[in-house]
Amino acid sequence: MPREKSENSPDPIARLPDEWAAEAVRLGGRPFHGTQIFRWIHARGEINPSHMTDLPAAIRGRLAQDGVGGVGSVCTVAHELRATDSTRKLLVLLGDGASVETVLIPRIVGAKSELPSPVGLANDADAAAADDDDDDALGDNASTSISVTQCISTQVGCAMGCAFCASGVAGLKRHMHAGEIVSQVLVGRARLDPGERLGNVVLMGMGEPLHNYDATARALRLITHPLGIGLSTRRVTVSTSGLVPEIARLGRDFGGQIGLAISLHAADDETRSRLLPINKKYPLAELMKGLHDYPLPRRRRITMEYTLVAGKNDTVDQAKKLIRLLRGLPVKVNLIPMNPIASSTLTPPDLSRVLAFQRALCDAGYSCFIRRRRGDDVAAACGQLAIHGAKPKIRRNC
Ligand code: SAH
Ligand code: SF4
């Protein structure tokens, strides 16, 4: 069952500064001590109260007793796999023994200048993340350090059952709670190489973030809080298979500031329902209306993820349908040749078909990238994050 804590008493690691202020008072301190505790945990990644040297000893003692108890065990890294391109996949163990994966994807230095836009390759999940060049809020190191995009999970497994996705093979095991979601960022940031910095976070790992809305929203507030990890909202992207009411809720709760990526994968209901069962509940017309209503800030675009599957959604005619469907919506399109998975007979199209699909979109004026598969040798591409021990059952009827 979900280990979700009530909104009124979140796990210590999921507390926001005002909640820590109340907790500090409860522990016999002053409200500003709560802000200090939040900073220690989220800005510095320090969860051991005895190391929080600017706190009075009495509060450190109380924290050790019952305040931050359990923070250390929210998640631990059980295993790290490093691909030849420096992408790292971390196997993260949660407190109850469940495991999820998170991926660190360094930007390839010089990639941008080598590749013409809009016809070009983009880096995996990085392609849904904000560009570095247009942010001046990253400090002096921004231009010299390597920006890393971290892809994080929001559920153990997934209930959505998309035809080509390893995360949904065994169904939903449980929701992650907000502390677990944000902990992935804390352990990921602690494992950055010298010269790297956390540039973007994408909620594109295991699970459907908007199916676990409350925990996801709290995690977004934690990740973007200026006293903590402090990522700008536009450097955080939520990817969704298209839960229309929750897209509207996200838009309302964050004023449209959080980046949005939509797993579209088809431009007609028949094809989309075969690939993504959620389309039967929220068909394309409803989804597109929801996207047109999303309070997108000026000059920002919605990322459209389109996984190309041989013989299913990869013809130039389907590209033309996509062009018609997207008309009038500010978007960039990421084409992802499907990563083969053990539980499915579906395969990626030949490169010539991928290029023809891209050409049709580019000719119609869309910014359209083919996503480079990063971390292939450690199966770290998004959508390849399987539950360990999940039994693959071969799905043929799509
Ligand atoms: N549940 C959310 C986020 C996680 S999936 C969503 O569906 O958007 C992240 C992305 O990986 C989605 O666009 C998904 O469709 C894609 N994906 C899943 N399996 C894949 C595979 N085998 N090959 C390529 N892309 C895949
Ligand atoms: Fe779930 Fe996303 Fe995978 Fe679909 S693609 S099964 S929504 S994780």
Side-chain angles (χ1 to χ4, degrees):
M1 280 305 290
R3 202 162 73 88
E4 193 57 58
K5 295 282 165 83
S6 92
E7 281 290 293
N8 295 331
S9 62
D11 273 332
I13 203 152
R15 279 185 199 130
L16 288 156
D18 53 340
E19 293 161 340
W20 268 118
E23 181 66 10
V25 171
R26 196 186 70 78
L27 296 175
R30 308 269 304 278
F32 73 89
H33 293 135
T35 310
Q36 286 172 319
I37 299 168
F38 181 83
R39 289 182 68 100
W40 275 109
I41 297 174
H42 292 274
R44 302 187 191 181
E46 181 56 74
I47 54 168
N48 183 344
S50 62
H51 295 168
M52 299 180 182
T53 45
D54 55 1
L55 287 180
I59 296 194
R60 278 187 261 156
R62 289 290 305 274
L63 270 181
Q65 229 177 312
D66 57 28
V68 197
V71 165
S73 62
V74 165
C75 89
T76 48
V77 177
H79 200 56
E80 174 173 334
L81 284 173
R82 183 177 281 260
T84 44
D85 65 6
S86 282
T87 296
R88 279 95 80 189
K89 179 165 79 168
L90 309 182
L91 177 67
V92 171
L93 265 188
L94 307 179
D96 64 352
S99 61
V100 295
E101 287 168 344
T102 180
V103 186
L104 297 171
I105 309 156
R107 182 180 290 274
I108 293 177
V109 178
K112 277 179 134 186
S113 54
E114 287 163 17
L115 298 169
S117 176
V119 184
L121 296 171
N123 302 335
D124 204 354
D126 213 14
D131 284 343
D132 268 355
D133 297 352
D134 49 9
D135 193 337
D136 51 10
L138 290 169
D140 291 335
N141 288 335
S143 55
T144 52
S145 57
I146 296 171
S147 172
V148 174
T149 294
Q150 184 172 9
C151 175
I152 61 172
S153 297
T154 52
Q155 295 178 315
V156 184
C158 185
M160 300 298 144
C162 303
F164 43 74
C165 177
S167 297
V169 168
L172 176 66
K173 296 279 183 208
R174 70 170 175 86
H175 294 301
M176 292 172 72
H177 63 80
E180 291 173 326
I181 299 172
V182 75
S183 292
Q184 295 170 85
V185 182
L186 298 182
V187 295
R189 189 183 55 182
R191 282 173 177 252
L192 292 178
D193 287 345
E196 289 181 340
R197 73 188 147 78
L198 184 66
N200 298 280
V201 168
V202 293
L203 282 68
M204 270 196 186
M206 186 184 284
E208 168 50 59
L210 298 186
H211 183 212
N212 183 15
Y213 187 87
D214 289 339
T216 293
R218 180 176 276 273
L220 293 173
R221 295 202 189 287
L222 289 162
I223 292 166
T224 57
H225 200 289
L227 295 177
I229 295 161
L231 274 187
S232 139
T233 42
R234 46 184 220 80
R235 296 195 159 270
V236 180
T237 300
V238 170
S239 174
T240 177
S241 54
L243 276 62
V244 175
E246 286 75 19
I247 292 173
R249 207 172 154 196
L250 186 75
R252 276 196 307 276
D253 289 354
F254 292 89
Q257 295 296 322
I258 295 285
L260 190 60
I262 302 295
S263 293
L264 196 62
H265 310 319
D268 66 86
D269 281 319
E270 199 186 326
T271 312
R272 191 163 193 269
S273 294
R274 276 197 219 133
L275 294 172
L276 292 83
I278 189 69
N279 191 68
K280 293 177 199 147
K281 190 166 179 189
Y282 303 117
L284 277 169
E286 256 182 75
L287 175 59
M288 295 312 291
K289 177 167 184 329
L291 298 183
H292 280 280
D293 290 346
Y294 191 76
L296 201 64
R298 276 161 57 91
R299 291 201 294 276
R300 297 268 294 280
R301 289 178 294 177
I302 297 174
T303 302
M304 290 290 168
E305 307 282 326
Y306 197 104
T307 295
L308 285 159
V309 185
K312 304 293 178 196
N313 63 357
D314 61 338
T315 65
V316 168
D317 270 358
Q318 282 162 318
K320 288 182 179 158
K321 266 192 201 167
L322 181 59
I323 290 163
R324 286 196 291 275
L325 184 74
L326 297 181
R327 201 157 280 150
L329 195 65
V331 292
K332 56 180 172 177
V333 181
N334 284 340
L335 298 177
I336 314 135
M338 180 200 163
N339 300 309
I341 59 167
S343 58
S344 169
T345 52
L346 299 175
T347 52
D350 293 340
L351 182 63
S352 61
R353 289 179 81 89
V354 176
L355 292 174
F357 199 99
Q358 183 192 33
R359 171 57 58 199
L361 280 155
C362 290
D363 287 349
Y366 286 94
S367 168
C368 177
F369 294 87
I370 300 168
R371 264 163 56 168
R372 184 181 305 179
R373 282 156 43 167
R374 300 289 308 277
D376 256 8
D377 46 335
V378 295
C382 289
Q384 269 182 265
L385 304 184
I387 293 189
H388 291 261
K391 284 208 186 71
K393 55 178 189 288
I394 304 287
R395 288 180 288 204
R396 288 172 209 279
N397 307 324
C398 144

